[in-house]
Amino acid sequence: MSTILVAGGAGYIGSHCLWLLRQRGYHAIAFDNLSEGHRAAVLGAPLIEGDLADRAFVVKTLREQKVDAVFHFAASCYVGESVTDPAKYYANNVATTLTLLEAMREAGVKTFIFSSTCATYGEPVQDRMDESHPQQPINPYGWTKLMVERMLADYSRAYGFQYVALRYFNAAGAHPDGTIGEDHDPETHLIPLVIRAGQGLNPNLKVFGDDYPTPDGTCIRDYIHILDLAEAHLLGLEYLRKGGPSTAFNLGNGAGYSVLEVIRACEKVMGKKVPYQMVGRRAGDPARLVGDARKAHSTLGWTQRFGDLSTIIQSAWKWHESHPRGFDG
Ligand code: UDP
């Protein structure tokens, strides 16, 4: 049986995708160096501990495990940190991915599902953010993901790689049964920080800016449930297996919520007040980012099962309530 290698399979998005693949009967294994991932997040799936930058080890793994497709989630993912420490991002996200692609080429594995981002678009220059929106990142994180998209396009033309790049808007929520969820250190994402503020574990929740040109002055984002994201990866693989041409897809709900709307929605789900403080803008935050995912719907047949914000927050709340210290308890 051929195997799917989930690089970064012990991380937030990778672990949910790994779970869904296995639940659907695919033979999928995790590859992770556990620098940011969690052993417990693979839920008993085979985990190969290793570094993607170790080309010889990756080639050996691809061969021994009879891998025929790689899902690549292993990356550094903090926009702010990418500005202060770009070297880390170019090393982890670009150089390491090049090593992975070269290992795949050596081992004859040519199918690649790539975790990309709406940060490759930069500041919106048109209302509809579909895949044809200009890609002009405004931070090194976005640049690193765009560079990999470029490499994939060139590898596809020159070496016959097949790939799907999935440009996520705001991944959020957790497995509905509460077994796996978001556990970043440090946590920078809004929904877990709001929930932790409601739990009394984050007394310093800050809302970054109330002077944006939006109805309540706070930034608007498009939150998409982690299992809906995962589903699109499986559909992307099947699309490539049926001979679909390599391409990129946006993954978002097409609905935008402001930071204050997210706080109110969390308060409602948790039945608790969330204390917060209004502070100045965070550098590099566009006012509104809402994705147009019609291409994923029409080409992949993708539909969301957990589309509305309160369902997303309920799943996150279940995870945080049962794991107040993340995977450590
Ligand atoms: N945000 C905030 N306070 C926080 C974290 C985030 O006000 O402690 C805002 C942030 O400015 C953005 C939105 O919440 O407008 C979503 O931020 P997040 O970091 O979750 O995702 P991003 O949109 O940066 O990928």
Side-chain angles (χ1 to χ4, degrees):
M1 192 192 238
S2 61
T3 299
I4 295 165
L5 187 85
V6 182
Y12 173 45
I13 303 177
S15 62
H16 286 78
C17 210
L18 177 69
W19 175 82
L20 191 64
L21 280 164
R22 290 169 61 80
Q23 212 240 352
R24 296 283 168 80
Y26 292 87
H27 185 247
I29 61 175
F31 187 103
D32 206 298
N33 64 6
L34 299 180
S35 66
E36 294 185 24
H38 306 273
R39 190 180 299 280
V42 306
L43 296 176
L47 166 65
I48 295 178
E49 260 185 83
D51 213 308
L52 289 175
D54 182 347
R55 174 170 163 168
F57 183 65
V58 177
V59 171
K60 182 169 167 279
T61 303
L62 295 171
R63 288 194 172 131
E64 280 178 5
Q65 301 292 328
K66 300 190 174 23
V67 171
D68 77 339
V70 173
F71 285 37
H72 182 35
F73 299 97
S76 297
C77 66
Y78 301 119
V79 168
E81 186 187 51
S82 80
V83 176
T84 54
D85 191 4
K88 174 175 173 184
Y89 282 71
Y90 287 104
N92 288 350
N93 298 4
V94 182
T96 300
T97 303
L98 179 60
T99 304
L100 169 61
L101 292 175
E102 282 299 276
M104 289 174 64
R105 201 151 74 91
E106 192 177 332
V109 182
K110 294 189 170 174
T111 303
F112 198 76
I113 307 291
F114 180 55
S115 169
S116 188
T117 168
C118 66
T120 59
Y121 294 125
E123 201 64 59
V125 293
Q126 62 200 43
D127 264 358
R128 262 191 56 196
M129 291 195 82
D130 63 11
E131 293 80 359
S132 67
H133 187 283
Q135 288 182 289
Q136 287 156 347
I138 53 171
N139 51 60
Y141 170 68
W143 277 112
T144 63
K145 293 286 183 170
L146 183 55
M147 284 175 185
V148 174
E149 284 198 12
R150 184 71 251 162
M151 294 194 303
L152 288 172
D154 292 338
Y155 268 60
S156 143
R157 253 186 303 274
Y159 309 130
F161 271 55
Q162 301 177 284
Y163 73 91
V164 158
L166 298 166
R167 297 181 188 150
Y168 315 151
F169 283 71
N170 289 57
H175 193 295
D177 73 7
T179 48
I180 47 176
E182 195 164 3
D183 181 2
H184 292 120
D185 183 19
E187 187 55 76
T188 62
H189 293 127
L190 181 66
I191 291 178
L193 288 173
V194 173
I195 290 177
R196 290 174 61 77
Q199 287 176 297
L201 300 171
N202 172 23
N204 296 311
L205 176 65
K206 296 182 171 65
V207 173
F208 297 134
D210 62 354
D211 57 350
Y212 285 95
T214 60
D216 66 20
T218 64
C219 287
I220 291 177
R221 293 289 179 275
D222 180 344
Y223 296 89
I224 165 98
H225 193 274
I226 191 82
L227 284 184
D228 286 334
L229 275 189
E231 186 76 54
H233 292 70
L234 273 61
L235 292 168
L237 176 67
E238 291 310 322
Y239 159 86
L240 291 176
R241 284 184 169 168
K242 285 189 208 115
S246 295
T247 190
F249 295 99
N250 279 348
L251 297 179
N253 270 318
Y257 295 95
S258 74
V259 175
L260 290 180
E261 284 172 328
V262 168
I263 293 176
R264 301 289 166 249
C266 288
E267 288 182 329
K268 207 161 158 206
V269 166
M270 293 189 287
K272 292 176 197 288
K273 272 311 269 179
V274 170
Y276 66 85
Q277 197 192 338
M278 197 61 78
V279 299
R281 293 182 177 196
R282 184 173 74 174
D285 270 341
R288 184 174 188 278
L289 284 176
V290 178
D292 180 333
R294 278 181 285 185
K295 183 176 167 189
H297 293 296
S298 61
T299 308
L300 300 178
W302 181 58
T303 51
Q304 291 98 309
R305 287 194 296 151
F306 308 99
D308 67 282
L309 185 63
S310 76
T311 308
I312 293 172
I313 292 171
Q314 272 160 25
S315 68
W317 172 226
K318 187 162 183 176
W319 158 253
H320 288 286
E321 202 180 16
S322 55
H323 297 80
R325 293 199 313 277
F327 285 99
D328 295 332

